[in-house]
Amino acid sequence: MKEADMAITKSFKELVQQRVANEPVFAEALLREGIDTMLAGDIDTGKAILRDYIKATVGFEKLGEATHTPPKSLIRMFSPRGNPQARNLFGVIGYLQKEAGVEFHVAPRPQ
């Protein structure tokens, strides 16, 4: 790869952050995907998606202030080895929904 090509290459995480910042529909879809993935039982992938969403939106500092949880604890909670308690996880999801101006509901799948 040429040096000029490498200079314009962005990481996947940078691209996600840029899209979240510039495309509200993409941001909402990312939040929904993180929650849906966790509800489907893939906790690790859901945490990774939510971690990227948090970094691209409110950030861990602001989230920590809003949820009365130290930012380092939140970062650990959404790390690959993190094991969030339901109370903390639902507190975070509730805050993220409020900040995004959306409200998700669990409903049966259409048959």
Side-chain angles (χ1 to χ4, degrees):
M1 183 177 270
K2 295 179 187 174
E3 192 172 321
D5 291 336
M6 290 183 357
I8 61 169
T9 302
K10 289 187 179 183
S11 75
F12 178 74
K13 290 188 185 285
E14 288 174 322
L15 290 172
V16 168
Q17 289 182 347
Q18 184 177 23
R19 286 197 66 192
V20 166
N22 296 322
E23 300 175 41
V25 172
F26 178 79
E28 182 180 326
L30 189 63
L31 178 57
R32 178 183 305 275
E33 185 64 24
I35 295 169
D36 284 348
T37 301
M38 291 184 89
L39 290 173
D42 188 351
I43 305 300
D44 292 336
T45 302
K47 287 189 310 181
I49 293 168
L50 289 178
R51 183 176 58 244
D52 289 343
Y53 177 83
I54 292 165
K55 285 181 181 179
T57 57
V58 297
F60 283 102
E61 289 292 326
K62 184 176 177 183
L63 180 61
E65 289 174 20
T67 60
H68 309 291
T69 306
K72 286 185 179 186
S73 294
L74 291 169
I75 292 167
R76 266 193 309 276
M77 188 166 93
F78 288 97
S79 73
R81 292 181 166 225
N83 188 16
Q85 292 183 351
R87 178 184 312 258
N88 295 335
L89 182 60
F90 288 127
V92 166
I93 290 171
Y95 177 77
L96 294 176
Q97 287 182 109
K98 181 180 172 189
E99 279 295 299
V102 298
E103 191 173 289
F104 300 116
H105 298 274
V106 176
R109 291 181 187 243
Q111 293 187 4

